[in-house]
């Protein structure tokens, strides 16, 4: 593991330790169903990483280089996939991890939600924005007839694999 990747991973987890409320995290996850945790994790990761870069400016380059290294290692499993055909939550996750720099297509409504993610400062902000993304994704699922593993309407996963949304990765 490179020094930059180590700094990224440690900086990320320290961000959770400092800023993610364990009570709020567990309450939100249980009340909304299994898949919600992955959505919450994507938005919360963006918030805590922004705060960590502000708190420790030296981490900025480590985050960029560390995520670049993870992308090259295919950590997110997207090398042979067209990102633009993925669900919004998955595109959002990759976009935030890239420091909002990857060339990914978004609708106007999705761009508004991305700005809302960028502006999150508090846990209440994270909950509000996650709910927006969650509701949008339920509509996306209905319109695109996504497979059962993306069953957001029922608040549960069909196969229990939430890896693309970053659950368990941060």
């Amino acid at each position: 593991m490179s020094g930059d990747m180590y700094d990224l991973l440690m900086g990320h987890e320290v961000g959770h330790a400092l800023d993610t409320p364990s009570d709020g995290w567990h309450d939100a996850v249980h009340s909304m169903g299994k898949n919600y945790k992955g959505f919450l994790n994507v938005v919360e990761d963006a918030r805590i990483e922004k705060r960590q870069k502000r708190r420790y400016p030296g981490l900025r380059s480590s985050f960029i280089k560390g995520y670049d290294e993870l992308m090259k290692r295919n950590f997110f499993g997207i090398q042979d996939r067209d990102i633009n055909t993925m669900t919004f939550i998955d595109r959002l996750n990759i976009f935030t991890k890239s420091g909002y720099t990857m060339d990914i297509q978004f609708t106007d409504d999705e761009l508004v939600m991305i700005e809302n993610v960028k502006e999150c400062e508090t846990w209440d902000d994270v909950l509000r924005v996650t709910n927006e993304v969650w509701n949008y994704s339920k509509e996306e699922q209905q319109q695109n007839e996504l497979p059962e593993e993306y069953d957001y309407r029922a608040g549960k996963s069909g196969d229990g694999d939430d890896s693309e949304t970053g659950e368990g990765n941060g």
Side-chain angles (χ1 to χ4, degrees):
M1 178 184 307
S2 72
D4 287 318
M5 188 181 299
Y6 180 85
D7 289 348
L8 159 67
L9 297 174
M10 281 303 240
H12 178 95
E13 294 308 325
V14 168
H16 278 303
L18 293 172
D19 294 321
T20 302
S22 61
D23 290 341
W25 173 260
H26 294 296
D27 293 345
V29 171
H30 293 298
S31 67
M32 296 295 284
K34 184 176 181 177
N35 274 339
Y36 188 79
K37 184 177 181 180
F39 283 67
L40 189 63
N41 193 56
V42 170
V43 178
E44 176 62 349
D45 280 358
R47 178 181 83 100
I48 60 110
E49 288 186 1
K50 172 182 70 174
R51 292 173 61 86
Q52 283 297 87
K53 289 182 234 176
R54 218 172 26 215
R55 194 178 275 134
Y56 307 108
L59 284 178
R60 289 181 187 275
S61 70
S62 293
F63 272 66
I64 292 166
K65 292 173 185 173
Y67 274 124
D68 186 53
E69 187 175 337
L70 288 173
M71 294 287 186
K72 288 177 181 169
R73 290 181 178 197
N74 199 27
F75 179 79
F76 298 103
I78 61 170
Q79 274 182 349
D80 297 325
R81 296 183 63 190
D82 179 359
I83 294 173
N84 292 311
T85 64
M86 296 167 65
T87 62
F88 173 60
I89 189 63
D90 292 331
R91 287 179 288 127
L92 174 64
N93 187 38
I94 298 302
F95 193 55
T96 59
K97 300 291 191 241
S98 76
Y100 305 96
T101 61
M102 284 186 75
D103 187 22
I104 300 175
Q105 296 171 5
F106 294 101
T107 67
D108 289 342
D109 289 339
E110 292 168 346
L111 289 171
V112 169
M113 285 183 278
I114 289 168
E115 287 304 312
N116 291 342
V117 168
K118 287 180 182 180
E119 293 173 6
C120 285
E121 291 291 335
T122 67
W123 179 249
D124 286 340
D125 293 340
V126 170
L127 292 174
R128 179 182 47 77
V129 172
T130 300
N131 288 335
E132 290 173 17
V133 173
W134 176 260
N135 290 327
Y136 177 85
S137 295
K138 287 193 289 186
E139 291 175 24
E140 177 187 41
Q141 179 189 12
Q142 290 171 339
Q143 291 172 359
N144 296 324
E145 298 182 21
L146 295 173
E148 188 178 326
E149 64 261 21
Y150 293 107
D151 190 0
Y152 308 136
R153 293 171 289 187
K156 62 184 178 189
S157 174
D159 66 2
D161 180 10
D162 297 320
S163 59
E164 288 182 24
T165 58
E167 183 177 338
N169 292 335

